[in-house]
């Protein structure tokens, strides 16, 4: 089925980005995860924005520094990546831990 092929290609791309240490593009691809196979039996929306995901799990999944306030090479923090990904539960968790939502990366 086409969903199996697309899913395999997506997973392979993520692995390739991780293996080549292209963490920024890995994060970008991770942000679009909910749109990959949206509406199909393999929809990734629930997995990509799970309300049960911990901050530590999110940081690990997005290959971010262990401190949510620490910026990545683009100047973005965990708060920005959670917002980019549409992960509202993670944004709420980070705010609840005292991290600010008033952020700007190197691009402004």
């Amino acid at each position: 089925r086409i969903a199996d092929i697309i899913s395999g290609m997506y997973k392979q791309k993520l692995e390739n980005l991780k293996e080549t240490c292209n963490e920024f593009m890995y994060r970008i691809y991770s942000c679009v995860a909910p749109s990959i196979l949206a509406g199909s039996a393999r929809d990734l929306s629930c997995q990509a924005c799970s309300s049960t995901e911990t901050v530590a799990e999110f940081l690990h999944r997005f290959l971010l520094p262990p401190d949510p306030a620490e910026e990545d090479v683009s100047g973005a923090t965990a708060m920005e990546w959670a917002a980019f990904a549409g992960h509202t539960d993670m944004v709420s968790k980070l705010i609840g831990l005292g991290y600010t939502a008033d952020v700007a990366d190197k691009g402004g």
Side-chain angles (χ1 to χ4, degrees):
R1 293 181 38 181
I2 191 77
D4 295 330
I5 294 168
I6 293 170
S7 178
M9 289 172 63
Y10 177 73
K11 288 178 183 177
Q12 185 178 10
K13 182 64 175 180
L14 283 177
E15 282 303 312
N16 180 265
L17 291 169
K18 190 186 283 188
E19 288 171 6
T20 59
C21 298
N22 194 338
E23 294 174 354
F24 179 78
M25 287 306 296
Y26 177 90
R27 290 184 197 107
I28 294 295
Y29 272 77
S30 295
C31 285
V32 300
S35 65
I36 305 298
L37 304 169
S40 76
R42 293 179 174 259
D43 193 312
L44 300 172
S45 297
C46 292
Q47 174 189 349
C49 296
S50 172
S51 62
T52 61
E53 185 173 39
T54 67
V55 171
E57 290 168 338
F58 176 79
L59 297 174
H60 178 75
R61 183 166 64 91
F62 269 72
L63 306 178
L64 290 165
D67 177 359
E70 188 176 337
E71 297 176 351
D72 68 3
V73 296
S74 72
T77 63
M79 180 67 76
E80 289 174 275
W81 283 109
F84 294 153
H87 200 330
T88 57
D89 288 314
M90 188 55 57
V91 169
S92 294
K93 288 176 184 183
L94 290 166
I95 290 171
L97 292 171
Y99 296 100
T100 182
D102 184 18
V103 294
D105 61 16
K106 292 179 181 175

